[in-house]
């Protein structure tokens, strides 16, 4: 595991791809965000989007899964904040999504010498480089 003291400001990483499809969008929407443009491809044609789109919460969940695969060896204790969350474009059936991360903040915890605070900026993109989702995540990480 990589502890706080092993991390470097400006470190960038890139994930593998996630293939988003209609069945995933509908299943997630039915369980967690049952708005018609997340669960009904025909009704979604009459939406402002003109088609079925992924829930923003679904996109955040995909980003979290991609981040775990990409940065899972960091000695996280827990997340403490999601900041500046921006849904830039809808996630669409057929999108191949990938995530990039950059460490933008490193500071020792003032309350516990065994912890550090790490901020990552994330960008979820569809194939072709179009940004879909951007946010900052702040986490507690074990120190060496």
């Amino acid at each position: 595991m990589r502890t706080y003291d092993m991390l470097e400001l400006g470190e960038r990483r890139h994930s593998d791809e996630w293939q988003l499809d209609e069945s995933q969008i509908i299943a997630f929407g039915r369980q967690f965000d049952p708005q018609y443009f997340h669960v009904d491809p025909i009704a979604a044609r009459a939406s402002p989007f003109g088609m079925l789109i992924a829930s923003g919460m679904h996109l955040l969940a995909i980003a979290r899964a991609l981040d775990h695969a990409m940065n899972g060896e960091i000695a996280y204790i827990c997340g403490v904040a999601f900041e500046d969350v921006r849904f830039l474009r809808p996630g669409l059936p057929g999108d191949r999504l990938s995530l990039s991360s950059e460490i933008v903040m490193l500071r020792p915890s003032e309350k516990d010498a065994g912890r550090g605070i790490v901020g990552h900026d994330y960008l979820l993109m569809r194939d072709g480089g179009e940004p879909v989702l951007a946010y900052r995540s702040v986490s507690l990480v074990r120190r060496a």
Side-chain angles (χ1 to χ4, degrees), residues 1-9 11 13 71-77 103 106-107 113-118 120 139-144:
M1 296 298 284
R2 291 192 315 142
T3 62
Y4 169 87
D5 303 288
M6 298 169 154
L7 302 176
E8 294 183 23
L9 198 61
E11 174 185 300
R13 292 208 165 173
N71 286 314
E73 85 292 352
I74 294 175
Y76 290 114
I77 297 168
I103 295 176
L106 288 170
R107 69 177 174 81
R115 300 175 176 183
I117 299 169
V118 179
H120 280 92
S139 303
L140 290 177
V141 175
R142 286 184 186 82
R143 296 193 75 179

Side-chain angles (χ1 to χ4, degrees), residues 6-75:
M6 298 169 154
L7 302 176
E8 294 183 23
L9 198 61
E11 174 185 300
R12 293 175 188 248
R13 292 208 165 173
H14 300 279
S15 76
D16 291 331
E17 288 186 345
W18 181 285
Q19 181 73 44
L20 184 61
D21 65 38
E22 185 175 283
S23 64
Q24 292 171 31
I25 292 170
I26 292 169
F28 188 96
R30 281 185 179 148
Q31 187 169 8
F32 298 108
D33 194 355
Q35 297 182 75
Y36 72 100
F37 45 82
H38 299 320
V39 299
D40 186 337
I42 295 169
R45 292 181 194 154
S47 76
F49 308 104
M51 65 185 310
L52 187 79
I53 64 165
S55 164
M57 297 302 106
H58 190 181
L59 296 174
L60 283 165
I62 290 168
R64 182 62 198 107
L66 290 170
D67 180 43
H68 183 74
M70 171 174 67
N71 286 314
E73 85 292 352
I74 294 175

